[in-house]
Amino acid sequence: MSEAVPELGGGVLLAIDTSVGTSVALGAGGAVFEAVSDDPRSHAEAIGPLLDEVFRESGAAPAEVTGVVCGIGPGPFTGLRVGIAAAQAFALARGLPLLPLHGHEAVALDVLDRSAVARLRVVQDAKRRELFVTEYDGLDWAGVPQRVAGPSIVAREGYEPIVNELWPERVPGAGLVRLAARRLASGRGFEPERAVYLRAPDVAQPGAPKRVSR
């Protein structure tokens, strides 16, 4: 599927996110083409076919890409790192800038761009009876959601919902492309190049070997 993105100009932006399912989008020729997989586990297997799909639908070639947008979370360690690694590999192989963005920002943009809603909360299941939560308050002068709280991790027990609340099934790759295009056009920066896990991974780093006494 595709939608118009006039702020792209002549840029060609590739976006990859694996924080909730897998989303790949390509902005080219003033439009953005998106392909998704809702499988919560097979991110690595899904990325290749989704990349093929967006390049085929857009008619653009990988050599035309001018920047790689990377969804950095929040999200679970196992899934999130797959998309980040894929985005880093594509950018490094072609000498392109990596453009990291919070996935919740793209979720918020879809609503804030199309309605009069101001205060908005994005809530994502973090498993283990916890939630990832980010709050936004309208769009800034560049058309970018203004983050006022989070992303943070909170206990599901005792959580109090609000009226304007979104629980995304996936992070929209098309939204990541639109956000990146607006940030580039306005001279706005991007997020630090590190994943937002909000909790330590399950696998612990090995410690120093124990000393054996004789």
Side-chain angles (χ1 to χ4, degrees):
M1 57 183 177
S2 66
E3 61 180 90
V5 184
E7 54 264 59
L8 262 174
V12 178
L13 299 177
L14 174 66
I16 299 174
D17 185 278
T18 54
S19 59
V20 187
T22 305
S23 178
V24 175
L26 185 70
V32 62
F33 303 80
E34 184 174 17
V36 301
S37 168
D38 290 329
D39 190 323
R41 298 181 183 276
S42 302
H43 304 287
E45 293 82 358
I47 286 178
L50 296 180
L51 284 168
D52 288 342
E53 183 176 338
V54 295
F55 278 109
R56 184 177 64 253
E57 288 191 358
S58 68
E64 297 177 65
V65 176
T66 56
V68 182
V69 189
C70 176
I72 58 169
F77 178 81
T78 304
L80 192 54
R81 63 179 179 171
V82 174
I84 292 174
Q88 289 173 331
F90 193 102
L92 182 62
R94 299 187 176 276
L96 300 172
L98 191 69
L99 311 172
L101 289 173
H102 287 155
H104 285 186
E105 191 171 292
V107 175
L109 180 68
D110 274 357
V111 173
L112 296 175
D113 237 6
R114 294 173 170 81
S115 71
V117 170
R119 194 78 175 199
L120 181 69
R121 179 182 292 173
V122 180
V123 185
Q124 179 182 333
D125 185 5
K127 310 302 182 185
R128 303 184 194 174
R129 293 177 290 184
E130 293 177 320
L131 303 169
F132 296 129
V133 179
T134 312
E135 294 193 13
Y136 297 91
D137 190 4
L139 300 174
D140 67 11
W141 63 272
V144 173
Q146 299 184 102
R147 187 170 74 246
V148 293
S152 57
I153 191 165
V154 302
R156 183 184 285 269
E157 184 177 357
Y159 172 76
E160 295 185 3
I162 63 173
V163 174
N164 296 321
E165 191 170 271
L166 297 174
W167 290 66
E169 295 182 359
R170 73 180 71 90
V171 168
L176 289 173
V177 168
R178 288 162 53 211
L179 279 170
R182 291 181 185 188
R183 284 177 175 268
L184 289 169
S186 63
R188 290 281 303 276
F190 289 80
E191 301 297 334
E193 192 181 325
R194 60 173 179 268
V196 181
Y197 298 126
L198 300 181
R199 70 157 68 100
D202 291 333
V203 180
Q205 291 291 333
K210 291 184 178 180
R211 194 172 176 183
V212 178
S213 57
R214 298 190 180 184

